[in-house]
Amino acid sequence: MHPTRHLTLPTLKQRTGRAVALAVLTAAALTGTGATDALALPATPPAAGSTATADSGATVTGGTTADADALREGAAAPAAATLRDRIAAAARGQIGVTESSSACQKYLTGKGQTCRNTSWCAAFAEWTWRHAGVKSVPTTLLGRGVGKWGQEHHLFHTGSPKPGDLVVYGPPAYEQGGHVGVVVSVNRDGTLDTVEGNVSNKVAHRHIDPRTAKGGVKKWKISGYVTPPGA
């Protein structure tokens, strides 16, 4: 008996990798050859659209070696998110930014202000929309002004908020004293999760009941919501 005709799976894996080792043993069984002989058989590439299982157990369909490597490392490309998803993700990604940090200043780019010397909740809301790809955004620094901008653009509504909407505290007007945040989740019990700038001098997550929640220096209740254009 040839000493290499019955190589074990672990030995073959060390030499060739798991996928090739399994193919070698299968070929050996079907042809009656040993594993060493089977290694010499011509390789047949998989047909387009066929599937192969990577070492991690991920299935690669009609892909390249690079695709398989990406799947093994958990780097599968995510599906394109909707505009509302992108807004919510942008807002959540800023939770914890403080007004004393340099990161806060990006919300006020081009406005000639700093987070330390102005109310920046509206600037934060504007930034989330702009960062997510919304083309037309409110540029006011007034929370209630965001609501007024929404009215002027026929985007303001008083009920049925959705993720990506801006939540306005205080009646719409280009006046001070209000507040604005970003809706990131609408829950089955009617509550909302929001991300809001300039809450205790930072970007903060809030879980609120929209019927009773208040915001701004005058503790205004929610007057309504502004829908992102194109959503």
Side-chain angles (χ1 to χ4, degrees):
M1 178 181 295
H2 195 285
T4 59
R5 288 180 63 85
H6 296 284
L7 293 176
T8 64
L9 178 59
T11 302
L12 286 170
K13 284 176 63 177
Q14 290 179 358
R15 294 187 183 183
T16 65
R18 178 182 174 83
V20 174
L22 291 174
V24 167
L25 292 180
T26 300
L30 291 174
T31 62
T33 66
T36 304
D37 297 328
L39 281 170
L41 293 175
T44 302
S50 63
T51 62
T53 302
D55 287 345
S56 65
T59 299
V60 184
T61 304
T64 65
T65 301
D67 294 331
D69 290 340
L71 282 174
R72 276 192 289 268
E73 296 184 14
T82 67
L83 178 60
R84 291 185 180 278
D85 291 334
R86 295 197 301 272
I87 294 170
R92 288 185 186 277
Q94 300 300 299
I95 293 173
V97 170
T98 64
E99 68 177 31
S100 61
S101 70
S102 59
C104 189
Q105 192 58 38
K106 65 177 176 287
Y107 311 139
L108 290 160
T109 299
K111 298 185 184 298
Q113 303 283 349
T114 69
C115 291
R116 292 191 179 194
N117 68 13
T118 190
S119 296
W120 49 276
C121 61
F124 169 73
E126 174 194 339
W127 181 89
T128 62
W129 273 17
R130 195 185 299 277
H131 188 73
V134 179
K135 302 303 181 183
S136 178
V137 301
T139 57
T140 177
L141 288 176
L142 301 171
R144 292 172 63 190
V146 173
K148 186 64 176 178
W149 180 92
Q151 287 183 332
E152 294 169 349
H153 291 77
H154 308 290
L155 297 169
F156 184 83
H157 55 100
T158 58
S160 301
K162 296 180 180 179
D165 284 353
L166 302 184
V167 52
V168 179
Y169 298 82
Y174 289 116
E175 297 181 14
Q176 297 180 346
H179 184 61
V180 64
V182 183
V183 178
V184 296
S185 178
V186 178
N187 307 308
R188 290 184 178 182
D189 61 0
T191 60
L192 305 176
D193 285 284
T194 66
V195 177
E196 303 175 10
N198 203 23
V199 174
S200 299
N201 301 324
K202 64 183 179 181
V203 178
H205 166 263
R206 296 182 68 192
H207 180 75
I208 64 172
D209 183 336
R211 298 168 298 178
T212 58
K214 297 179 181 180
V217 295
K218 292 188 176 181
K219 304 299 181 184
W220 288 105
K221 287 187 175 183
I222 293 173
S223 63
Y225 310 88
V226 182
T227 298

